[in-house]
Amino acid sequence: MNIQVILTQHAQDAFKILTGIDNWDPQVKVSAKAQFGDYQINGIMSVAKKVGQNPRELASQLTEQLKLDASEILFNVEVAGPGFINLTLSPNWLASQLNIVANDSKLGLTPVVPQTVVVDYSAPNVAKEMHVGHLRTTIIGDAVVRTLELLGHNVIRANHIGDWGTQFGMLIAYLEKMQNEHATDMALTDLEAFYRDAKKTYDEDEEFALRARGYVVKLQGGDEYCLTMWQKLVKLTMAQNFAAYERLNVTLTEKDTMGESLYNSMLPNIVADLKAKGIAVENEGATVVFLSEYKNKNGDPMGVVVQKNDGGFLYTTTDIASVKYRVETLKANRVLYYVDSRQNQHLTQAWMIARMAGYAPESVSLEHHQIGMMLGKDSKPFKTRSGGTIKLVDLLDEAKDRAKALILSKNDSIDENELDTLAEVVGIGAVKYADLSKNRTTDYIFDWDNMLSFDGNTAPYMLYANARVQSIFKRFEIDPATLNASPITLQAPEEIALSICLLQFEEVITAVAREGAPHIMCTYLYELAGAFSRFYEAVSIMQTEEIELRNSRLLLASLTSKTLKTGLTTLGIKTVERM
Ligand code: ARG
């Protein structure tokens, strides 16, 4: 159920009757102010000239036609300004739609034509700690995945982990050294230290460096011992990452890991194919694609290396292969990349080459959803006090501690166990929600005080708002499921406003899927919580004498809670029954 789509359809039908023109875009938008009705048709001015009419005249004709054809839906239709049309929805129609939504397990969502969508997100690196930079792509990517799935799309999660490259010779040699020295299998709890120490040994110990370089060649040649050691490193790292995903309520599992190494076997053929097609050429021993869209310092086309003169392949080559794989093997209609904005040029070049080679037809959309940097309150990259990178685990522990303090400030008699469970949900929710609620392309300032506050568009506020609606049912011992068939009556303006907001869920979730931007959902849920508050203050539900009206209002409350919960679930935010 999508009000905007329904109104668009009616406007188009009416327009066709008047002008004979099909598929006009009426530009139906939610009105900015209540005095302009609930929705507006803004597309008259741009079409009036084309049909040779005065915009206001055309608007008034369309208004009359809509009054004839859509009287069931529209309570009022009015021409405004130079040719806008203001639409006010009929309360009876809204009520009938709410009843349909209430009786549907998916909140009345219209079935979509399913697309296969590959979402490339998270993508941490092996033998390195997942850091706060990966936090953003993981959280935002996962919200988009959940959203697309709820709408009915076929989603493939692609965790493009950094599990290949020349550094693995050094890492294998170091793992071997550690194993020899400690005899037992190490847990590798501190990956940051492991990587740093490996690098240090490599730089200082010549014999070690020689062995490391030998291992790179062996690994690339498929040597069994090196492969086993490499796998061990991948396993150890990913075990930690999966623990983080679980704690973060992120849906990535082992089957979603499609790291760089997956594409190894494809790379020689890709380079040969690019050469055969005249896209890549030999240049000083390397294989290079010259892209005229990019110029180097001298103004000549920029060269993108796809194979080095020592035979090694590059990050770009792997991303060209991954496009091919996603289109040809996974049958993607759309590929979304949640990747650091600093990799935009890298991705654009890889896609350009993939398009030239025919690996991705124009019909497949490749989208870089850029992730800005995470900054501290001082607007500098987010670091520990001593300047080190912040570990994800430490960050999440701190979130929980701070959430505990916040909850205690509201309720100091809360039971110890409940406090612990609640603090985990609120703390993790706060970190996630703060990130999700911002437009992701901009750099993002990490601020504990803002995210852990009951005021504003925050997780604590949203969780509290939802718990408050649920508390009505608890307090009066009413099972919301028994209300679904109650007929809805809409009287108070706050009641109508809440209803329209509830019926906008599909418009919003569709926008999140189209734009790949979950902050749209956060803004909506915040508005919905506000609309409910205003409704709850204006009409006292349980004091309503008339039983039918009271049930109607209870059903609105229950739908609010369902919508909040569904929305928060698409964001990957867990909810609580009470707070
Ligand atoms: N592993 C990379 C990093 O940590 C991100 C990979 C992004 N995905 C891709 N297809 N290149 O920076």
Side-chain angles (χ1 to χ4, degrees):
M1 141 75 208
N2 187 326
I3 300 178
Q4 202 211 11
V5 169
I6 292 171
L7 292 177
T8 300
Q9 189 60 54
H10 278 284
Q12 285 178 332
D13 292 348
F15 193 76
K16 188 170 179 189
I17 293 172
L18 292 177
T19 64
I21 297 173
D22 257 327
N23 290 328
W24 163 60
D25 178 11
Q27 299 177 41
V28 174
K29 302 264 148 63
V30 176
S31 297
K33 286 194 187 135
Q35 77 218 58
F36 302 143
D38 301 318
Y39 280 78
Q40 272 186 313
I41 295 177
N42 293 341
I44 293 278
M45 271 84 77
S46 46
V47 79
K49 213 174 172 182
K50 202 174 127 194
V51 298
Q53 277 208 50
N54 166 300
R56 234 191 116 86
E57 182 52 33
L58 182 60
S60 87
Q61 282 175 17
L62 194 69
T63 297
E64 292 314 310
Q65 192 64 44
L66 281 170
K67 278 184 184 162
L68 285 176
D69 300 344
S71 58
E72 191 200 330
I73 297 179
L74 298 170
F75 175 74
N76 195 19
V77 195
E78 232 171 44
V79 181
F84 299 107
I85 299 176
N86 297 343
L87 308 171
T88 306
L89 297 164
S90 140
N92 285 341
W93 181 73
L94 290 170
S96 68
Q97 297 304 304
L98 285 167
N99 274 122
I100 298 174
V101 170
N103 283 298
D104 186 279
S105 62
K106 279 180 97 184
L107 289 172
L109 288 179
T110 317
V112 294
V113 180
Q115 283 191 314
T116 296
V117 188
V118 172
V119 186
D120 182 321
Y121 71 110
S122 192
N125 299 315
V126 167
K128 285 204 182 145
E129 202 86 45
M130 198 171 359
H131 56 72
V132 291
H134 291 114
L135 186 65
R136 299 203 69 193
T137 135
T138 303
I139 290 174
I140 299 173
D142 205 55
V144 173
V145 158
R146 288 166 176 268
T147 301
L148 291 165
E149 275 182 345
L150 181 69
L151 281 170
H153 293 293
N154 168 30
V155 179
I156 301 171
R157 296 159 176 79
N159 194 356
H160 195 89
I161 63 169
D163 62 355
W164 203 252
T166 46
Q167 74 275 25
F168 278 94
M170 168 188 96
L171 294 167
I172 289 172
Y174 195 68
L175 179 61
E176 177 185 74
K177 184 171 145 76
M178 297 290 279
Q179 281 183 351
N180 290 342
E181 283 166 14
H182 299 282
T184 54
D185 260 0
M186 39 168 297
L188 214 78
T189 45
D190 193 346
L191 291 169
E192 220 53 46
F194 177 84
Y195 201 96
R196 195 178 51 233
D197 296 344
K199 181 84 178 56
K200 192 159 176 271
T201 317
Y202 184 86
D203 290 339
E204 288 169 4
D205 180 343
E206 207 151 308
E207 205 185 306
F208 176 89
L210 203 64
R211 195 160 52 242
R213 282 196 287 274
Y215 282 162
V216 182
V217 180
K218 279 186 152 181
L219 180 66
Q220 281 164 350
D223 173 79
E224 204 143 311
Y225 170 74
C226 284
L227 277 174
T228 310
M229 292 294 272
W230 166 75
Q231 250 153 19
K232 210 174 231 179
L233 287 164
V234 177
K235 265 223 163 84
L236 287 165
T237 313
M238 289 313 285
Q240 287 186 37
N241 291 336
F242 285 123
Y245 294 151
E246 165 127 26
R247 194 164 175 203
L248 281 166
N249 192 27
V250 160
T251 57
L252 284 166
T253 61
E254 224 150 324
K255 67 168 187 351
D256 309 317
T257 303
M258 297 181 211
E260 293 176 28
S261 66
L262 174 71
Y263 306 100
N264 277 342
S265 60
M266 295 173 64
L267 303 182
N269 286 336
I270 297 256
V271 172
D273 188 42
L274 291 176
K275 275 193 195 158
K277 288 178 173 149
I279 298 167
V281 292
E282 296 276 349
N283 189 281
E284 296 171 18
T287 311
V288 185
V289 178
F290 287 99
L291 294 172
S292 50
E293 289 84 351
Y294 290 90
K295 301 271 187 265
N296 65 18
K297 277 181 243 111
N298 306 327
D300 300 324
M302 188 161 133
V304 179
V305 179
V306 290
Q307 188 167 23
K308 291 189 288 190
N309 54 12
D310 67 3
F313 300 103
L314 294 102
Y315 188 43
T316 309
T317 330
T318 306
D319 263 315
I320 297 169
S322 72
V323 170
K324 189 171 193 286
Y325 179 78
R326 289 165 184 180
V327 175
E328 289 174 10
T329 308
L330 302 179
K331 308 262 179 277
N333 303 114
R334 197 179 166 197
V335 191
L336 312 185
Y337 292 73
Y338 286 85
V339 178
D340 193 321
S341 46
R342 288 166 295 182
Q343 295 191 28
N344 183 255
Q345 177 164 322
H346 155 75
L347 286 176
T348 320
Q349 292 180 338
W351 300 347
M352 224 175 243
I353 297 168
R355 297 255 195 228
M356 281 156 75
Y359 302 154
E362 287 301 328
S363 60
V364 176
S365 108
L366 304 172
E367 306 166 24
H368 183 194
H369 295 276
Q370 302 189 33
I371 306 281
M373 272 212 284
M374 183 113 112
L375 303 177
K377 252 178 151 173
D378 54 2
S379 297
K380 298 209 179 95
F382 195 48
K383 292 266 157 82
T384 58
R385 224 165 263 174
S386 57
T389 41
I390 294 178
K391 281 200 203 172
L392 195 53
V393 209
D394 295 341
L395 185 93
L396 299 182
D397 286 342
E398 183 167 353
K400 184 175 181 180
D401 287 342
R402 286 177 181 262
K404 250 184 205 163
L406 180 78
I407 297 161
L408 283 172
S409 75
K410 229 187 164 126
N411 173 7
D412 58 9
S413 60
I414 187 170
D415 152 283
E416 189 74 37
N417 277 332
E418 192 179 352
L419 175 63
D420 196 76
T421 320
L422 208 54
E424 178 78 12
V425 176
V426 174
I428 305 281
V431 169
K432 293 183 77 172
Y433 195 88
D435 200 350
L436 289 164
S437 58
K438 312 280 183 321
N439 197 346
R440 54 162 206 272
T441 44
T442 45
D443 288 346
Y444 156 62
I445 300 203
F446 191 94
D447 182 345
W448 286 118
D449 298 328
N450 279 345
M451 70 178 76
L452 279 155
S453 155
F454 279 110
D455 297 321
N457 191 7
T458 63
Y461 172 76
M462 293 309 310
L463 296 181
Y464 178 71
N466 180 52
R468 193 166 75 141
V469 187
Q470 299 212 345
S471 72
I472 303 170
F473 295 97
K474 282 229 184 63
R475 192 147 43 109
F476 296 96
E477 294 179 356
I478 300 163
D479 175 4
T482 60
L483 298 163
N484 284 354
S486 316
I488 286 185
T489 325
L490 303 175
Q491 294 177 348
E494 293 83 1
E495 208 160 30
I496 295 173
L498 173 63
S499 304
I500 294 176
C501 197
L502 285 168
L503 292 173
Q504 281 166 339
F505 181 69
E506 181 170 323
E507 253 167 80
V508 171
I509 192 169
T510 309
V512 175
R514 185 183 58 236
E515 317 278 329
H519 73 271
I520 300 171
M521 179 60 75
C522 297
T523 307
Y524 167 74
L525 294 176
Y526 184 57
E527 276 169 16
L528 176 60
F532 182 80
S533 275
R534 287 187 290 278
F535 155 79
Y536 196 52
E537 267 156 41
V539 308
S540 36
I541 302 180
M542 294 315 285
Q543 273 87 309
T544 308
E545 294 274 325
E546 204 189 317
I547 187 85
E548 197 163 284
L549 188 55
R550 188 172 79 192
N551 282 345
S552 162
R553 291 176 171 168
L554 279 169
L555 181 49
L556 285 181
S558 148
L559 260 177
T560 302
S561 173
K562 260 195 220 168
T563 309
L564 287 175
K565 195 166 171 164
T566 309
L568 289 168
T569 306
T570 66
L571 296 169
I573 307 276
K574 286 187 184 163
T575 51
V576 291
E577 298 277 304
R578 58 180 188 165
M579 215 169 142

